[in-house]
Amino acid sequence: MIVQYPDPILKEKMPEFDFNNPILDPIQLEKDMLEAMYQHDGIGLAANQMGIRTRMFVMGHKNLPENGMAFFNPEIIANTEEVEDLEEGCLSFPGIFVKIKRPTSIKARWQNAKGEVMESVFSDYECKCFLHELDHLEGIVFRDRVSSLKWTLATNKSKRK
Ligand SMILES: [Zn+2]
């Protein structure tokens, strides 16, 4: 069960995942979140979308489950000024797709499920996905990133399908 908009947990800023005093076993949490994401054909899923209050999300694709990854306490340490519009969907808004302007590339830092600090550069869809999920942890949904006109057009389009 994925939390659906407008559940108020989607508007909350999530607290740090504390590896010294974890609210859940991080290894198990990563496993459960990836499984839920693949089950719903998602490519990203944030903890609050599962009703769990902590700073963590997963990314991956069910066709390559071994590449699925968890990001604990993620942060952006650099991004391009250049932006591009790519279409995004969200498991909390089934059937709605809307183009969102975001940086083309980011450098990010996070902790893996063992608490080790990781860094990497993401671009294209991975970059969009990372920023979309990070937004969730800040209590921001993609609806907040577009004009009300653009949103109305996107929801009308989804109703016609
Ligand atoms: Zn989402």
Side-chain angles (χ1 to χ4, degrees):
M1 2 41 57
I2 308 283
V3 170
Q4 299 296 297
Y5 185 83
D7 190 301
I9 197 170
L10 296 173
K11 289 281 178 189
E12 282 179 36
K13 185 179 160 128
M14 293 297 114
E16 292 279 297
F17 186 91
D18 182 355
F19 280 92
N20 297 318
N21 186 20
I23 57 159
L24 288 162
D25 171 29
I27 306 277
Q28 189 62 40
L29 179 59
E30 170 173 19
K31 208 169 150 258
D32 292 347
M33 293 270 299
L34 284 170
E35 216 173 88
M37 181 178 73
Y38 297 143
Q39 229 171 54
H40 291 87
D41 280 336
I43 55 166
L45 183 64
N48 43 340
Q49 291 182 284
M50 292 283 287
I52 301 163
R53 283 183 173 82
T54 197
R55 274 187 108 65
M56 179 271 191
F57 63 75
V58 290
M59 278 169 42
H61 195 282
K62 65 174 178 182
N63 292 345
L64 282 166
E66 65 277 12
N67 290 354
M69 265 172 84
F71 301 83
F72 292 82
N73 303 322
E75 54 182 325
I76 307 297
I77 47 182
N79 62 262
T80 55
E81 270 180 45
E82 192 188 343
V83 291
E84 64 186 340
D85 256 345
L86 279 184
E87 194 167 71
E88 298 183 14
C90 181
L91 293 177
S92 295
F93 295 81
I96 298 180
F97 297 92
V98 61
K99 281 189 169 177
I100 313 271
K101 237 186 236 333
R102 298 191 191 270
T104 53
S105 171
I106 52 166
K107 187 173 187 191
R109 182 184 293 151
W110 69 94
Q111 284 169 283
N112 64 15
K114 294 175 194 155
E116 297 161 343
V117 176
M118 316 284 286
E119 264 184 33
S120 188
V121 171
F122 296 98
S123 49
D124 299 317
Y125 272 94
E126 276 187 331
C127 170
K128 308 295 168 177
C129 189
F130 193 102
L131 292 168
H132 177 115
E133 300 313 324
L134 186 60
D135 270 355
H136 274 302
L137 303 182
E138 291 293 325
I140 299 166
V141 291
F142 70 160
R143 181 188 181 143
D144 303 329
R145 294 248 178 231
V146 293
S147 68
S148 51
L149 173 65
K150 209 167 166 186
W151 185 257
T152 304
L153 292 173
T155 50
N156 287 346
K157 199 171 153 195
S158 94
K159 281 178 202 142
R160 281 205 303 272
K161 274 181 192 155

